[in-house]
Amino acid sequence: MVDLSVNLCGVTLKNPVIPASGTFGFGREYNEIYDISLLGGVATKGLTLAPRAGNPVPRIAERNGVILNAVGLQNPGVDRFLAEDLNWLKSKTKVIANVAGSTLEDYANICAKLDGAADLIELNISCPNVKSGGMAFGIKPESVKEVTRAAKSRLKNTPLIVKLSPNVESIAANARAAEEGGADCVSLVNTFTGMAIDIERRKPIIANNTGGVSGAGIKPIAVRMVYEVAHAVGIPVIGMGGIACAEDAIEFLMAGAAAVQVGTANFTDTLACPKIIEGLTVWCESRGIQKLSSLTGALKLN
């Protein structure tokens, strides 16, 4: 029997497969399709202090191998999540509460509300689809360190993950800054900034003009960035970016990830995550691998 469990900042996940923030809601809809207790954890929609309606529509565009989204962090607000969704989700699996804000105080105050409630907190400083905060904090190492420190100062009981943007000069430098600011873990990559054009209208398809690019087409870039970061920091790394099957997940593990998040694949196949979990077992069994975590960092360079 293959042991798929992983230890992430002292939190044990039954397996390393986590639906990515913004692709899984709070899990209720997917639980009607399969029992989400199968999952290692769930990263929630990005939570803000006040409810957000998100960006104008259209805010999704499809292209070969990728999608662009500019949803704009639509969510009911952290208080409503705590009142209506957290306990149900915790009864199913580990909860990674994704936190978004416009100011340092926003991040700190949301973290204080979630401390001791969520199993882990993921600081979203890398969303390219909002007008203020978010992405601005994730660009330069100095601001990454500052916002990480502000959030960490309000956390006494819950480990902190910092979600990194790929739209930067050096993602390894930003990862080190997050570690210096007190992060217990980093996750990457968030979406790349992109654009799709309606050539008949001569206008961007997305009302926001640009959106975050995700999906299978970004995977090789994401794997390379995970490898760079895993060798730049001494804290765990969660890898994401184009994962659609078990073999994709294994690439990220070998590059240095301790766990993985699955995003766009949840839209193209609602059973993507359980299929990946099953595939990890099959792949390991066929090769005599008893513990999946032994694959983390197993890459051998030419």
Side-chain angles (χ1 to χ4, degrees):
M1 188 69 175
V2 180
D3 180 4
L4 297 183
S5 67
V6 297
N7 185 301
L8 198 61
C9 310
V11 178
T12 300
L13 311 184
K14 64 179 66 176
N15 61 68
V17 179
I18 304 161
S21 175
T23 69
F24 209 75
F26 298 124
R28 292 185 186 272
E29 296 86 356
Y30 280 87
N31 195 63
E32 295 177 8
I33 300 167
Y34 65 88
D35 184 358
I36 66 169
S37 64
L38 294 170
L39 301 169
V42 168
T44 70
K45 288 177 66 66
L47 298 165
T48 50
L49 277 176
R52 284 182 62 104
N55 288 330
V57 296
R59 50 193 189 183
I60 298 285
E62 295 182 65
R63 283 295 182 263
N64 293 335
V66 299
I67 66 169
L68 287 82
N69 92 85
V71 174
L73 298 175
Q74 177 182 343
N75 78 97
V78 64
D79 290 332
R80 186 169 169 188
F81 166 74
L82 286 166
E84 299 180 6
D85 296 295
L86 177 63
N87 288 339
W88 177 84
L89 192 51
K90 286 190 75 169
S91 74
K92 290 291 186 179
T93 189
K94 301 298 183 183
V95 178
I96 302 173
N98 185 281
V99 170
S102 298
T103 66
L104 294 175
E105 290 74 20
D106 283 353
Y107 283 103
N109 290 335
I110 300 170
C111 284
K113 287 175 177 285
L114 291 165
D115 188 31
D119 296 291
L120 298 127
I121 289 173
E122 182 177 57
L123 209 62
N124 183 358
I125 57 170
S126 51
C127 179
N129 306 318
V130 292
K131 300 298 184 184
S132 61
M135 184 66 186
F137 288 114
I139 294 175
K140 293 187 178 296
E142 297 80 11
S143 55
V144 170
K145 184 175 179 179
E146 185 180 25
V147 69
T148 302
R149 183 175 288 156
K152 186 66 175 178
S153 71
R154 304 297 295 275
L155 295 173
K156 309 302 179 188
N157 303 294
T158 305
L160 179 66
I161 304 164
V162 175
K163 189 171 186 177
L164 300 174
S165 170
N167 304 299
V168 295
E169 181 177 346
S170 171
I171 197 166
N174 283 14
R176 286 191 293 268
E179 183 177 30
E180 291 168 4
D184 301 291
C185 178
V186 290
S187 60
L188 63 144
V189 297
N190 207 330
T191 55
F192 292 81
T193 303
M195 177 183 284
I197 295 173
D198 181 334
I199 59 175
E200 298 301 331
R201 294 172 55 243
R202 304 186 184 190
K203 290 186 176 183
I205 292 175
I206 291 176
N208 197 57
N209 294 328
T210 61
V213 181
S214 62
I218 74 167
K219 192 190 78 175
I221 310 171
V223 170
R224 184 263 300 173
M225 288 186 165
V226 165
Y227 173 79
E228 290 179 354
V229 167
H231 287 78
V233 298
I235 55 179
V237 174
I238 301 172
M240 71 191 91
I243 297 172
C245 63
E247 289 78 8
D248 292 340
I250 290 166
E251 282 193 57
F252 278 88
L253 295 177
M254 288 185 175
V260 296
Q261 291 188 10
V262 179
T264 301
N266 292 312
F267 299 137
T268 57
D269 181 0
T270 53
L271 295 173
C273 285
K275 286 179 179 178
I276 290 169
I277 294 166
E278 181 181 3
L280 290 173
T281 297
V282 170
W283 194 90
C284 289
E285 285 179 343
S286 69
R287 290 158 178 80
I289 297 169
Q290 296 182 340
K291 192 167 180 61
L292 182 68
S293 61
S294 67
L295 296 178
T296 293
L299 177 67
K300 301 175 182 179
L301 295 180
N302 294 324

